[in-house]
Amino acid sequence: DDLVLDVLRRTSSDYNSAIPFFKWIISVTDISGYTPTVEVYNEMLGILGKARRLEELKQMFNEMFERGLMNERSYEIVVHKFCAAHKIDDAIEFFDKRKEYGLKVDLAAFNSLLLSLCRYKHVETAELLLLKHYGTFTLALPTRLHSFG
């Protein structure tokens, strides 16, 4: 796993190398017995998002879901990459589908969405979402201060 992660990290800026390498790794899993971990998939999510290959990003996330390999970090990467590409509707829709993916709809996930929106200068959208979901999540004072203060 370390070797695969190392290669992906070294080629993360060159998706034309990273994607074929990952596809090759997947194709030889039957022969080698190697199965990519969630960390390897998360690295690929980041590479696909950085390259703005958002359809492939969604497909990979769905593949991860089908294999039971996605986690909260996988979700955060996808939301972050949608916001970075200014695909705000996709980011919000993805948040709304958390339950379908077996993820909790909680304050931490909501904060992740809001922080990504704000980071990429979609503050008004974040504010509207915060007002829309006011009262939905129990806001602890330290969380509010950490996230919004």
Side-chain angles (χ1 to χ4, degrees):
D1 232 22
D2 292 339
L3 177 63
V4 174
L5 278 171
D6 187 47
V7 170
L8 289 175
R9 287 178 181 142
R10 288 176 189 261
T11 60
S12 66
S13 295
D14 179 18
Y15 72 90
N16 287 320
S17 297
I19 293 171
F21 172 74
F22 182 77
K23 288 180 179 179
W24 175 75
I25 288 294
I26 296 296
S27 72
V28 298
T29 55
D30 293 338
I31 299 165
S32 68
Y34 171 76
T35 303
T37 62
V38 67
E39 289 82 15
V40 170
Y41 272 99
N42 283 348
E43 193 67 30
M44 274 308 299
L45 287 175
I47 291 168
L48 291 169
K50 186 176 184 180
R52 301 288 196 260
R53 311 259 313 238
L54 300 180
E55 285 305 313
E56 291 174 68
L57 176 79
K58 285 191 239 182
Q59 289 171 355
M60 182 160 293
F61 186 86
N62 287 329
E63 180 181 323
M64 291 172 71
F65 172 68
E66 290 169 9
R67 292 179 183 214
L69 288 174
M70 50 127 215
N71 58 18
E72 287 294 330
R73 180 70 187 128
S74 310
Y75 161 80
E76 290 172 2
I77 292 167
V78 173
V79 166
H80 183 79
K81 296 304 180 181
F82 281 147
C83 290
H86 306 289
K87 299 289 187 180
I88 304 312
D89 291 338
D90 288 337
I92 294 168
E93 180 182 325
F94 193 70
F95 173 78
D96 291 339
K97 289 183 177 180
R98 281 184 62 86
K99 281 186 182 179
E100 293 174 31
Y101 288 115
L103 299 169
K104 292 189 303 185
V105 179
D106 58 7
L107 181 60
F110 189 59
N111 281 348
S112 177
L113 173 62
L114 294 178
L115 290 171
S116 290
L117 287 167
C118 290
R119 178 166 186 205
Y120 292 101
K121 304 193 183 339
H122 299 284
V123 177
E124 295 84 12
T125 302
E127 182 181 16
L128 289 172
L129 278 174
L130 186 60
L131 293 173
K132 176 183 174 187
H133 290 284
Y134 183 80
T136 303
F137 305 105
T138 304
L139 298 177
L141 184 59
T143 302
R144 279 201 316 251
L145 291 176
H146 171 73
S147 298
F148 309 111

